[in-house]
Amino acid sequence: MEKKYYQPEFETMPVEDIKKLQSEKLVKQVKHVYENVEYYRNLMDEKGVKPEDIQSIDDLHKLPFLSKADLRDAYPYGLLAKPLNECVRIHSTSGTTGRRVVAFYTQHDVDLWEDCCARAIVAAGGTKDDVCQVAYGYGLFTGGAGLHGGSHKVGCLTLPMSSGNTERQIQFMTDLNATILCCTPSYAAYIGESLKERGISPKDVPLKAGIFGAEPWTEEMRKGIEEALGIKAYDIYGLTETSGPGVAFECCEQTGMHINEDHFVAEIIDPDTGEVLPEGEKGELVFTSLDKEAFPLLRYRTRDICVLSRKKCSCGRTLIKMAKPMGRTDDMLIIRGVNVFPSQIETVLLNQGYQPNYQIVVDRVNNNDTFDVNVEMTPEMFTDKMSEVLSLERKLADEMKIMLGINPKVHLVAPKSIQRSEGKAVRVVDKRKLI
Ligand code: DLL
């Protein structure tokens, strides 16, 4: 019989027991961090908090936050809580500005992380009979290594493809009967497009499921990928700072991602005041890692905007769920004083029958923001008749105005003219920052 859970003892643990377990682990973790991480000890001392003040997760709010700026400050070893010779791996963020964040792992850390990824694969229907094609990037990025480790733990035949070389991806997928695809949603969409171009129908592709994450994607994009590949598409979330993918994963209900609460405590805070918000309210997601030995972050501000829900899930898991992140506090563009999230633009495009191939360009000319959206026409709608193009552009701009409250200049461009991504897509070019 197909296994429903990878670690049922934790995935279906009664909520009260999860909280008890979290409290026990938190007390130990705070002590471990206070004793071994001078940087965080100083933050606690500044706030006047001692390890003894933390007796349960109800005391979590007393602890200071950690932010990306702290991680950069402490680069590279300042937050390390274990001797370096007990660490076996590093991974690093893909940040293009400033110092990268480097996270360290003991063998135990790697083990628990891979378990989290294995939970995601089993929740997507994976078993030892599956062939799992890992097309996330391998290397410093956590996507490849995380899902690779999880796939091994489940016992799938693992295809360590890394990202890119789409021709070869398709060849291995079809020749070796891959049943599960793991990559970014934008790369999954691109693989779907490439299959179509080669005249390969989704019916002739052996895939049954995909585990896609590492970047925001909308429900509409999910539908598109599911149709293009003939699969069920599952979301997976994580960040380098908390180990990588697998902090949260989607189940068959596809209504948010279960957070692996036996390893992470999630809070939602008001990003401006730092106040903890009640369940169901939208705010910034904050994680505390309960088990990580080498790089244990307490109250780490992710900058992801999100909502948590403890609504009962039909899959039987009791782990709290996070909604798809609705953007990042630092991804939100403020254009002419209005908040704009790239995901809103994507929603309009997919509703209007476009593919999520677009780029937002923002600039400032004579003290006024300019707001341009380049959108690829699909091959079916492609026309070089000026009047038709203008009318399509106007229609899209009107829909975006309704969604956002401000008017973009929409430019339809030829199919395939916006660069495809094999990893995380670049959706925004904000030239204002360069001034
Ligand atoms: O993206 C880890 C990962 C790899 C997750 C593979 C899922 C699959 P970073 O490069 O450190 O780590 O980026 C972390 O990516 O704070 C979110 O803003 C975003 N992100 C990750 N997963 C999702 C998702 C990996 N499912 C940052 N939906 C996070 C939306 C996501 N955003």
Coordinates of all heavy atoms in Angstrom, one line a residue, residues 307-368:
V307 N 0.4 34.0 5.8 CA -0.6 33.7 6.7 C -0.5 32.3 7.2 O -0.3 31.4 6.4 CB -2.0 33.9 6.1 CG1 -3.2 33.6 7.0 CG2 -2.2 35.4 5.6
L308 N -0.8 32.0 8.5 CA -0.8 30.7 9.0 C -2.2 30.2 9.3 O -3.0 31.0 9.6 CB 0.1 30.6 10.3 CG 1.5 31.0 10.2 CD1 2.2 30.9 11.6 CD2 2.3 30.1 9.2
S309 N -2.4 28.9 9.2 CA -3.7 28.4 9.5 C -3.7 27.0 10.2 O -2.9 26.1 9.7 CB -4.6 28.3 8.3 OG -5.7 27.5 8.5
R310 N -4.4 26.8 11.2 CA -4.5 25.5 11.9 C -5.8 24.8 11.6 O -6.1 23.8 12.2 CB -4.4 25.7 13.4 CG -3.1 25.2 13.9 CD -3.0 24.8 15.3 NE -1.6 25.2 15.7 CZ -0.6 24.5 15.4 NH1 -0.6 23.3 14.7 NH2 0.6 24.9 15.8
K311 N -6.4 25.2 10.5 CA -7.6 24.5 10.1 C -7.3 23.0 9.8 O -6.3 22.7 9.3 CB -8.2 25.2 8.8 CG -9.6 25.6 8.9 CD -10.1 26.5 7.8 CE -10.7 25.6 6.7 NZ -10.9 26.4 5.5
K312 N -8.2 22.2 10.2 CA -8.0 20.7 10.1 C -7.8 20.4 8.6 O -8.5 20.9 7.7 CB -9.3 20.0 10.6 CG -9.0 18.6 11.0 CD -10.2 18.1 11.8 CE -9.9 16.7 12.0 NZ -10.7 15.7 11.8
C313 N -6.8 19.5 8.4 CA -6.5 19.2 7.0 C -7.0 17.8 6.7 O -6.8 16.9 7.5 CB -5.0 19.3 6.7 SG -4.6 19.1 5.0
S314 N -7.5 17.6 5.5 CA -8.1 16.3 5.2 C -7.0 15.2 5.0 O -7.3 14.0 5.0 CB -8.9 16.4 3.9 OG -8.1 16.8 2.8
C315 N -5.8 15.6 4.9 CA -4.7 14.6 4.7 C -4.3 13.9 6.0 O -3.6 13.0 6.0 CB -3.4 15.3 4.1 SG -2.5 16.2 5.3
G316 N -4.8 14.5 7.1 CA -4.6 13.9 8.4 C -3.4 14.5 9.1 O -3.1 14.2 10.3
R317 N -2.6 15.3 8.4 CA -1.5 15.9 9.1 C -2.0 17.0 10.1 O -3.0 17.7 9.7 CB -0.5 16.6 8.1 CG 0.3 15.5 7.4 CD 1.3 16.1 6.4 NE 2.0 15.1 5.6 CZ 1.4 14.4 4.6 NH1 0.2 14.7 4.2 NH2 2.1 13.4 4.0
T318 N -1.3 17.1 11.2 CA -1.8 18.1 12.2 C -0.9 19.4 12.2 O -1.1 20.3 12.9 CB -1.7 17.5 13.6 OG1 -0.5 16.8 13.7 CG2 -2.8 16.6 13.8
L319 N 0.2 19.3 11.4 CA 1.1 20.4 11.3 C 0.5 21.7 10.7 O -0.3 21.6 9.7 CB 2.3 20.0 10.4 CG 3.1 18.7 10.8 CD1 4.0 18.3 9.7 CD2 3.8 18.9 12.1
I320 N 0.8 22.8 11.4 CA 0.2 24.1 10.9 C 0.5 24.3 9.4 O 1.5 23.8 9.0 CB 0.7 25.2 11.8 CG1 -0.3 26.4 11.7 CG2 2.1 25.6 11.5 CD1 0.0 27.5 12.9
K321 N -0.4 25.1 8.8 CA -0.1 25.3 7.3 C 0.2 26.8 7.1 O -0.4 27.7 7.7 CB -1.3 25.0 6.5 CG -1.4 23.5 6.2 CD -2.4 23.4 5.0 CE -3.3 22.3 5.1 NZ -4.4 22.2 4.2
M322 N 1.1 27.1 6.2 CA 1.4 28.4 5.7 C 0.8 28.6 4.3 O 0.9 27.6 3.5 CB 2.9 28.8 5.7 CG 3.7 27.9 4.9 SD 5.5 28.3 4.9 CE 5.6 29.6 3.6
A323 N 0.2 29.7 4.0 CA -0.3 30.0 2.7 C 0.9 30.2 1.8 O 2.0 30.3 2.3 CB -1.1 31.2 2.7
K324 N 0.7 30.1 0.5 CA 1.8 30.5 -0.4 C 2.2 31.9 0.0 O 1.4 32.8 0.2 CB 1.2 30.6 -1.9 CG 1.3 29.4 -2.7 CD 0.8 29.7 -4.1 CE 0.8 28.4 -4.9 NZ 2.1 27.8 -5.1
P325 N 3.6 32.1 0.1 CA 4.0 33.5 0.4 C 3.4 34.5 -0.6 O 3.4 34.2 -1.8 CB 5.5 33.4 0.3 CG 5.8 32.0 0.5 CD 4.7 31.2 -0.1
M326 N 3.0 35.6 0.0 CA 2.3 36.6 -0.9 C 3.3 37.7 -1.4 O 2.8 38.8 -1.7 CB 1.2 37.2 -0.1 CG 0.1 36.3 0.2 SD -0.6 36.7 1.8 CE -1.6 35.2 2.0
G327 N 4.5 37.4 -1.3 CA 5.5 38.4 -1.7 C 6.5 38.6 -0.5 O 6.3 37.9 0.5
R328 N 7.4 39.4 -0.7 CA 8.4 39.7 0.4 C 8.4 41.1 0.8 O 8.1 42.0 0.0 CB 9.8 39.3 -0.1 CG 10.1 37.9 -0.3 CD 11.4 37.6 -1.0 NE 12.5 38.1 -0.2 CZ 13.1 37.5 0.8 NH1 12.6 36.4 1.2 NH2 14.1 38.0 1.4
T329 N 8.7 41.4 2.0 CA 8.7 42.8 2.5 C 9.7 43.6 1.6 O 9.5 44.7 1.4 CB 9.0 42.9 3.9 OG1 10.3 42.2 4.2 CG2 8.0 42.4 4.8
D330 N 10.7 42.9 1.1 CA 11.7 43.6 0.3 C 11.5 43.4 -1.2 O 12.2 44.0 -2.0 CB 13.1 43.2 0.6 CG 13.3 41.7 0.6 OD1 12.3 40.9 0.3 OD2 14.5 41.2 0.8
D331 N 10.4 42.6 -1.6 CA 10.1 42.4 -3.0 C 9.1 43.4 -3.5 O 8.8 43.6 -4.7 CB 9.6 41.0 -3.3 CG 10.6 40.1 -4.0 OD1 11.7 40.5 -4.1 OD2 10.1 39.1 -4.5
M332 N 8.4 43.9 -2.5 CA 7.2 44.7 -2.8 C 7.8 46.0 -3.4 O 8.7 46.6 -2.9 CB 6.5 45.0 -1.5 CG 5.2 45.9 -1.7 SD 4.4 46.2 -0.2 CE 5.5 47.5 0.4
L333 N 7.2 46.3 -4.6 CA 7.7 47.6 -5.2 C 6.7 48.7 -4.8 O 5.5 48.4 -4.6 CB 7.5 47.4 -6.7 CG 8.6 46.5 -7.4 CD1 8.0 46.0 -8.7 CD2 9.9 47.3 -7.6
I334 N 7.2 49.8 -4.5 CA 6.3 51.0 -4.3 C 6.5 51.9 -5.5 O 7.5 52.5 -5.7 CB 6.7 51.7 -3.0 CG1 6.6 50.7 -1.8 CG2 5.7 52.9 -2.7 CD1 6.9 51.3 -0.5
I335 N 5.4 51.8 -6.3 CA 5.5 52.6 -7.6 C 4.4 53.7 -7.5 O 3.3 53.5 -7.2 CB 5.2 51.7 -8.8 CG1 6.1 50.5 -8.8 CG2 5.3 52.5 -10.1 CD1 5.8 49.5 -9.8
R336 N 4.9 54.9 -7.6 CA 4.0 56.1 -7.4 C 3.2 56.0 -6.1 O 2.0 56.3 -6.1 CB 3.1 56.3 -8.6 CG 3.8 56.5 -9.9 CD 2.8 56.6 -11.1 NE 3.5 56.1 -12.3 CZ 2.9 55.3 -13.2 NH1 1.7 55.0 -13.1 NH2 3.6 55.0 -14.3
G337 N 3.9 55.5 -5.1 CA 3.2 55.5 -3.8 C 2.3 54.3 -3.6 O 1.8 54.1 -2.5
V338 N 2.2 53.4 -4.6 CA 1.3 52.3 -4.5 C 2.1 51.0 -4.4 O 3.1 50.8 -5.0 CB 0.4 52.2 -5.8 CG1 -0.5 50.9 -5.7 CG2 -0.5 53.4 -5.9
N339 N 1.6 50.1 -3.5 CA 2.3 48.8 -3.3 C 2.0 47.9 -4.4 O 0.8 47.6 -4.7 CB 1.9 48.1 -2.0 CG 2.2 48.9 -0.8 OD1 3.0 49.9 -0.9 ND2 1.7 48.6 0.3
V340 N 3.0 47.3 -5.1 CA 2.8 46.4 -6.2 C 3.7 45.2 -6.0 O 4.9 45.2 -5.7 CB 3.3 47.1 -7.5 CG1 3.2 46.1 -8.7 CG2 2.5 48.3 -7.8
F341 N 3.0 44.0 -6.0 CA 3.7 42.7 -6.0 C 3.7 42.1 -7.3 O 2.7 42.0 -8.0 CB 3.0 41.8 -5.0 CG 3.2 42.2 -3.5 CD1 2.2 42.8 -2.9 CD2 4.4 41.9 -2.9 CE1 2.4 43.2 -1.5 CE2 4.6 42.3 -1.6 CZ 3.5 42.9 -0.9
P342 N 4.9 41.5 -7.8 CA 4.9 40.9 -9.0 C 3.9 39.8 -9.2 O 3.3 39.6 -10.3 CB 6.3 40.2 -9.1 CG 7.2 41.1 -8.2 CD 6.2 41.6 -7.1
S343 N 3.5 39.1 -8.1 CA 2.5 38.1 -8.2 C 1.1 38.6 -8.7 O 0.4 37.9 -9.3 CB 2.3 37.4 -6.9 OG 1.9 38.3 -5.9
Q344 N 0.8 39.9 -8.4 CA -0.4 40.5 -8.9 C -0.4 40.6 -10.4 O -1.4 40.3 -11.0 CB -0.6 41.9 -8.3 CG -0.8 41.8 -6.7 CD -0.9 43.3 -6.2 OE1 0.1 44.0 -6.3 NE2 -2.0 43.6 -5.6
I345 N 0.7 40.9 -10.9 CA 0.8 41.1 -12.4 C 0.7 39.7 -13.0 O 0.0 39.5 -14.0 CB 2.2 41.7 -12.7 CG1 2.2 43.1 -12.0 CG2 2.4 41.7 -14.2 CD1 2.8 44.2 -12.7
E346 N 1.3 38.7 -12.4 CA 1.3 37.4 -12.9 C -0.2 36.8 -12.9 O -0.6 36.2 -13.9 CB 2.1 36.5 -12.0 CG 2.4 35.1 -12.6 CD 3.5 34.4 -11.8 OE1 4.6 34.9 -11.6 OE2 3.1 33.3 -11.3
T347 N -0.9 37.1 -11.9 CA -2.3 36.7 -11.8 C -3.1 37.3 -13.0 O -3.8 36.6 -13.7 CB -2.9 37.1 -10.5 OG1 -2.2 36.5 -9.4 CG2 -4.4 36.7 -10.4
V348 N -2.9 38.6 -13.3 CA -3.6 39.2 -14.4 C -3.2 38.5 -15.7 O -4.1 38.1 -16.5 CB -3.3 40.7 -14.5 CG1 -3.9 41.3 -15.8 CG2 -3.8 41.4 -13.3
L349 N -2.0 38.3 -15.9 CA -1.5 37.7 -17.2 C -2.1 36.3 -17.4 O -2.6 36.0 -18.4 CB 0.0 37.5 -17.2 CG 0.8 38.9 -17.2 CD1 2.3 38.6 -17.3 CD2 0.4 39.7 -18.5
L350 N -2.1 35.5 -16.3 CA -2.6 34.1 -16.5 C -4.1 34.1 -16.7 O -4.6 33.3 -17.5 CB -2.1 33.2 -15.3 CG -0.6 33.0 -15.4 CD1 0.0 32.7 -14.0 CD2 -0.3 31.8 -16.3
N351 N -4.8 35.0 -16.0 CA -6.2 35.1 -16.2 C -6.6 35.5 -17.6 O -7.6 35.1 -18.1 CB -6.8 36.2 -15.2 CG -7.0 35.6 -13.8 OD1 -7.0 34.4 -13.7 ND2 -7.1 36.5 -12.9
Q352 N -5.7 36.2 -18.2 CA -6.0 36.7 -19.6 C -5.4 35.8 -20.7 O -5.3 36.2 -21.8 CB -5.4 38.1 -19.8 CG -5.9 39.2 -18.9 CD -7.4 39.5 -19.1 OE1 -7.8 39.6 -20.3 NE2 -8.2 39.5 -18.1
G353 N -4.9 34.6 -20.3 CA -4.5 33.6 -21.3 C -3.0 33.8 -21.7 O -2.6 33.2 -22.7
Y354 N -2.3 34.6 -21.0 CA -0.8 34.7 -21.3 C 0.0 33.7 -20.5 O -0.5 33.2 -19.5 CB -0.3 36.1 -21.0 CG -0.9 37.2 -21.9 CD1 -2.2 37.7 -21.7 CD2 -0.2 37.6 -23.0 CE1 -2.7 38.7 -22.5 CE2 -0.7 38.6 -23.8 CZ -2.0 39.1 -23.6 OH -2.5 40.0 -24.4
Q355 N 1.2 33.5 -20.8 CA 2.1 32.7 -20.0 C 2.8 33.6 -19.0 O 2.9 34.8 -19.3 CB 3.2 32.0 -21.0 CG 2.6 31.0 -21.9 CD 2.0 29.8 -21.2 OE1 2.6 29.3 -20.3 NE2 0.8 29.4 -21.5
P356 N 3.3 33.0 -17.9 CA 4.0 33.9 -17.0 C 5.4 34.3 -17.4 O 6.4 34.2 -16.7 CB 4.1 33.0 -15.7 CG 4.1 31.6 -16.2 CD 3.3 31.6 -17.5
N357 N 5.5 34.8 -18.7 CA 6.8 35.2 -19.2 C 6.7 36.8 -19.3 O 6.2 37.3 -20.3 CB 7.1 34.6 -20.5 CG 7.2 33.1 -20.4 OD1 7.8 32.6 -19.5 ND2 6.6 32.4 -21.3
Y358 N 7.2 37.4 -18.3 CA 7.1 38.9 -18.2 C 8.2 39.5 -17.4 O 8.9 38.8 -16.7 CB 5.7 39.3 -17.6 CG 5.7 38.9 -16.1 CD1 5.9 39.9 -15.1 CD2 5.4 37.6 -15.7 CE1 5.9 39.6 -13.8 CE2 5.4 37.3 -14.3 CZ 5.6 38.3 -13.4 OH 5.6 37.9 -12.1
Q359 N 8.4 40.8 -17.6 CA 9.4 41.5 -16.8 C 8.9 42.9 -16.5 O 8.3 43.6 -17.4 CB 10.7 41.6 -17.6 CG 11.9 41.9 -16.7 CD 13.2 41.3 -17.3 OE1 13.5 41.6 -18.4 NE2 14.0 40.6 -16.5
I360 N 9.0 43.3 -15.3 CA 8.6 44.6 -14.8 C 9.8 45.5 -14.8 O 10.8 45.1 -14.3 CB 8.0 44.5 -13.4 CG1 6.8 43.5 -13.4 CG2 7.6 45.9 -12.9 CD1 6.4 43.1 -11.9
V361 N 9.7 46.6 -15.5 CA 10.8 47.6 -15.4 C 10.4 48.9 -14.8 O 9.4 49.5 -15.3 CB 11.4 47.8 -16.9 CG1 12.6 48.7 -16.8 CG2 11.7 46.5 -17.6
V362 N 11.0 49.3 -13.7 CA 10.6 50.5 -13.0 C 11.8 51.5 -13.1 O 13.0 51.1 -13.0 CB 10.3 50.2 -11.6 CG1 9.6 51.4 -10.9 CG2 9.4 49.0 -11.4
D363 N 11.5 52.7 -13.4 CA 12.6 53.7 -13.4 C 12.0 55.0 -12.8 O 10.8 55.1 -12.6 CB 13.0 53.9 -14.9 CG 14.5 54.4 -15.0 OD1 15.0 54.9 -13.9 OD2 15.0 54.4 -16.1
R364 N 12.9 56.0 -12.7 CA 12.4 57.3 -12.2 C 13.0 58.4 -13.2 O 14.2 58.5 -13.4 CB 12.9 57.6 -10.8 CG 12.4 58.8 -10.2 CD 12.4 58.8 -8.7 NE 11.5 57.8 -8.2 CZ 11.5 57.5 -6.9 NH1 12.3 57.9 -6.0 NH2 10.5 56.6 -6.4
V365 N 12.0 59.0 -13.8 CA 12.4 60.1 -14.8 C 11.7 61.4 -14.3 O 10.5 61.4 -14.1 CB 11.9 59.7 -16.2 CG1 12.2 60.7 -17.2 CG2 12.4 58.3 -16.6
N366 N 12.5 62.4 -14.2 CA 12.0 63.7 -13.7 C 11.2 63.6 -12.4 O 10.1 64.1 -12.3 CB 11.2 64.4 -14.8 CG 11.9 64.7 -16.0 OD1 13.2 64.9 -15.9 ND2 11.3 64.7 -17.2
N367 N 11.7 62.8 -11.5 CA 11.1 62.6 -10.2 C 9.8 61.8 -10.3 O 9.0 61.7 -9.3 CB 10.8 63.9 -9.5 CG 12.1 64.5 -9.0 OD1 13.0 63.8 -8.6 ND2 12.2 65.8 -9.1
N368 N 9.4 61.3 -11.4 CA 8.2 60.4 -11.5 C 8.6 59.0 -11.8 O 9.5 58.8 -12.6 CB 7.3 61.0 -12.7 CG 6.6 62.2 -12.2 OD1 6.1 62.2 -11.1 ND2 6.5 63.1 -13.1

